[in-house]
Amino acid sequence: MDISPSRRNLVQLSLMAGLLASPIRARAEPLPKIPPGPNPMFPEGFLKLVGFFGEDSGPDEKVWYEGVHAPDFVSFAAPYMARYARNWVEDVHAGGAPSFKVITEIQYKSEAAKAKVRDLMNSPAADALFEHGAARAAEVRAKVAPPPRTSSPANMVPVEPRRFAARGLAGAGSPVRRRIMLLSRTKDAGLDDFEAAVTAMGREIASLAPGIDVSLDFCRPSGRAGPADALVYVENSRAVALPTSHGALVQVMSVLGVETHTSIG
């Protein structure tokens, strides 16, 4: 597969969220800056976002993401990030198989830190990183023959995180195995009641066995609806059966086995 960039916003989206949305080619003219208006990488009023990517991506995406993209992004964004992790879907333990391949967690330390990352990605110093990522992507794909893929718009959703963790979730030094539950709100459930039910569910899971760590992300309305209304991240729970239903307010759509690579947080 021939991969090459055409516009800076797509390469920036790749740099932030991990997957290339269009082919990468050597560019002959400057790429445009990030516009000042709304951008899914920098959700207004939220410090964390979750990206769902890779509907038809080949095996080379993970090689490029972990070997090129993540180190490039961390090289300038690390001081401003509270968390940066990639959850690669490996198994479906319950429910339906997702259309995406990786769930990316991006969390800024503060609104000022978020603005700083946006400014850095608009700076001349970022050009070398974009060029490096494009060149390395071509090298990776020259060594791995992926199946054909069709590009799809990136799905990035602002979230409100909450954590029930005794030790803290996996930090740098990953990968580790975790499970992620994708939850949806039932038709008649109010938002407050849904969040209360999910919070209770998280606490129950955390109490199932010593050492289990649980954190929650509640998805917030944006221009594009995400594939879930809430995510439950569960670590150190291999011997524990996770619930596949939880009352009348919460629907468990999928329980996924993931390999988590964490650079920050």
Side-chain angles (χ1 to χ4, degrees), residues 16-245:
M16 285 293 292
L19 300 186
L20 295 175
S22 71
I24 297 188
R25 57 180 168 76
R27 63 182 176 89
E29 57 187 48
L31 295 166
K33 302 294 185 181
I34 296 177
N39 185 293
M41 295 181 292
F42 310 99
E44 185 176 354
F46 293 92
L47 296 180
K48 185 174 183 182
L49 59 146
V50 173
F52 304 86
F53 304 97
E55 294 174 351
D56 297 309
S57 59
D60 64 318
E61 290 292 359
K62 186 175 182 180
V63 176
W64 177 82
Y65 198 156
E66 299 301 333
V68 181
H69 159 72
D72 278 357
F73 177 59
V74 169
S75 71
F76 72 89
Y80 312 103
M81 306 304 296
R83 182 163 176 82
Y84 175 46
R86 288 80 57 199
N87 301 282
W88 294 91
V89 178
E90 295 193 335
D91 305 297
V92 179
H93 296 169
S99 60
F100 48 84
K101 187 173 182 178
V102 60
I103 301 172
T104 297
E105 301 173 71
I106 299 171
Q107 185 172 355
Y108 305 98
K109 287 183 176 179
S110 64
E111 287 292 338
K114 182 170 65 176
K116 182 63 175 179
V117 172
R118 186 168 187 157
D119 290 344
L120 285 171
M121 293 181 72
N122 269 338
S123 70
D127 289 342
L129 286 175
F130 295 130
E131 295 289 1
H132 174 255
R136 287 296 308 279
E139 292 175 11
V140 168
R141 287 161 176 81
K143 298 176 181 178
V144 182
R149 64 173 276 198
T150 56
S151 296
S152 59
N155 197 344
M156 304 180 77
V157 182
V159 298
E160 182 177 323
R162 298 177 193 170
R163 177 170 291 184
F164 305 107
R167 326 178 279 107
L169 297 178
S174 303
V176 297
R177 293 282 301 181
R178 296 199 297 171
R179 283 185 282 180
I180 295 180
M181 305 176 69
L182 302 181
L183 309 180
S184 66
R185 181 161 54 109
T186 58
K187 181 180 179 181
D188 298 326
L191 183 59
D192 291 342
D193 290 339
F194 170 74
E195 295 190 5
V198 173
T199 300
M201 184 181 190
R203 293 190 186 280
E204 290 173 13
I205 293 172
S207 68
L208 290 175
I212 293 180
D213 293 332
V214 179
S215 63
L216 312 175
D217 278 342
F218 289 102
C219 300
R220 298 309 189 197
S222 61
R224 170 189 288 266
D229 293 316
L231 295 89
V232 182
Y233 307 85
V234 186
E235 189 177 335
N236 299 324
S237 66
R238 291 184 180 181
V240 173
L242 299 182
T244 56
S245 63

